[in-house]
Amino acid sequence: MTAAVTLLAASTGCISGTEQPRDSPKPTAVKPSATTPSVATQRPYDKMPARPLGQAAVSGRDHAFLQAAFAIQMPGGHKIPPAEEVAVIRRLDAKNGELAWMSDGRTFCYGKIREGYSSLSCGRLPEEAPAPGLLFTIWGEPDRVSDGENNDQVRVVGFVIAEGGPARFDHVKRSKGTGPVHQAVARLPSGRMVTFLTFDRAYGPIDPEAEICRSDRKICFPSENLPH
């Protein structure tokens, strides 16, 4: 098996101001008081692991699956979690599928387990969400190694962490040959919930109109990585 680590994080910022007239007196700098609170406040995060809900929880049938998943070398700085913290997103068969976990409210790991080609990706949620309601996205990773001759057998698998739960996600505009949306909900000790999602499509051209939405339509996102 091959281990692949993917870490994604991005942030942007913009500051603007208005120039003062030339004849205006120069403003006097004000020394901040020692009791003045800092403008930058740290976003609160749960310090305890999330726990999967419902069928996402590991059961006896997942023993071989977890063995296969954790036979892969863990990314540096991360360790194998207890089974009760692992959310099973998709069960392909006894040893293949997709899983994820959050060891705290900021740190996540995602595993895609396949015969002959598997990966574990771990990282931290970016300070700025990719889009409203979304916490993290991996738009597409192949589910097998391609030698250039079997591209028609390769599936591109996307992974998303979304805010909230347990409302269901599904395709609104579905491309031909695209698989269903698989999902697992986990709850953090604070009561906050997250939904782990995976979905796959055939290797090939991108459909710019392909979209996935939550049932209440409060969270929607492209199901295929759009070029910038």
Side-chain angles (χ1 to χ4, degrees):
M1 290 187 175
T2 303
V5 180
T6 306
L7 299 177
L8 285 79
S11 61
T12 59
C14 180
I15 300 175
S16 62
T18 303
E19 182 179 350
Q20 292 191 1
R22 294 176 182 271
D23 57 351
S24 297
K26 186 176 181 180
T28 304
V30 179
K31 184 177 181 181
S33 167
T35 59
T36 302
S38 172
V39 175
T41 56
Q42 185 176 1
R43 184 178 176 183
Y45 292 105
D46 291 88
K47 296 182 179 180
M48 300 295 289
R51 298 296 176 100
L53 303 180
Q55 294 185 352
V58 169
S59 63
R61 60 179 167 167
D62 299 313
H63 178 71
F65 179 34
L66 292 190
Q67 277 195 322
F70 298 130
I72 307 171
Q73 182 178 354
M74 290 294 297
H78 298 271
K79 60 182 180 180
I80 296 175
E84 59 268 21
E85 296 175 12
V86 177
V88 180
I89 308 169
R90 182 186 186 189
R91 297 173 174 92
L92 279 169
D93 55 39
K95 293 185 178 181
N96 297 281
E98 290 127 26
L99 49 77
W101 68 92
M102 294 188 74
S103 56
D104 56 49
R106 183 80 187 277
T107 308
F108 70 90
C109 288
Y110 158 60
K112 182 174 77 276
I113 314 305
R114 301 288 192 275
E115 291 183 10
Y117 180 71
S118 300
S119 66
L120 282 176
S121 305
C122 293
R124 290 173 64 79
L125 299 179
E127 286 292 343
E128 293 186 11
L134 299 185
L135 298 175
F136 182 81
T137 58
I138 297 178
W139 289 116
E141 290 185 337
D143 68 346
R144 67 188 68 195
V145 176
S146 172
D147 59 9
E149 297 181 358
N150 64 341
N151 284 344
D152 58 332
Q153 300 177 28
V154 176
R155 304 291 291 179
V156 178
V157 182
F159 170 68
V160 165
I161 305 177
E163 283 276 16
R168 300 288 296 178
F169 285 80
D170 207 347
H171 294 280
V172 175
K173 168 63 170 66
R174 185 170 179 167
S175 301
K176 181 180 179 180
T178 300
V181 179
H182 304 276
Q183 49 209 298
V185 178
R187 180 188 288 124
L188 290 150
S190 64
R192 174 183 168 222
M193 291 191 286
V194 295
T195 300
F196 303 118
L197 301 154
T198 61
F199 39 91
D200 65 273
R201 64 177 178 85
Y203 180 86
I206 291 172
D207 182 350
E209 296 183 1
E211 188 177 38
I212 292 172
C213 290
R214 201 168 70 178
S215 57
D216 58 10
R217 297 296 191 270
K218 290 184 177 180
I219 302 177
C220 291
F221 55 90
S223 62
E224 301 181 18
N225 187 17
L226 302 179
H228 297 289

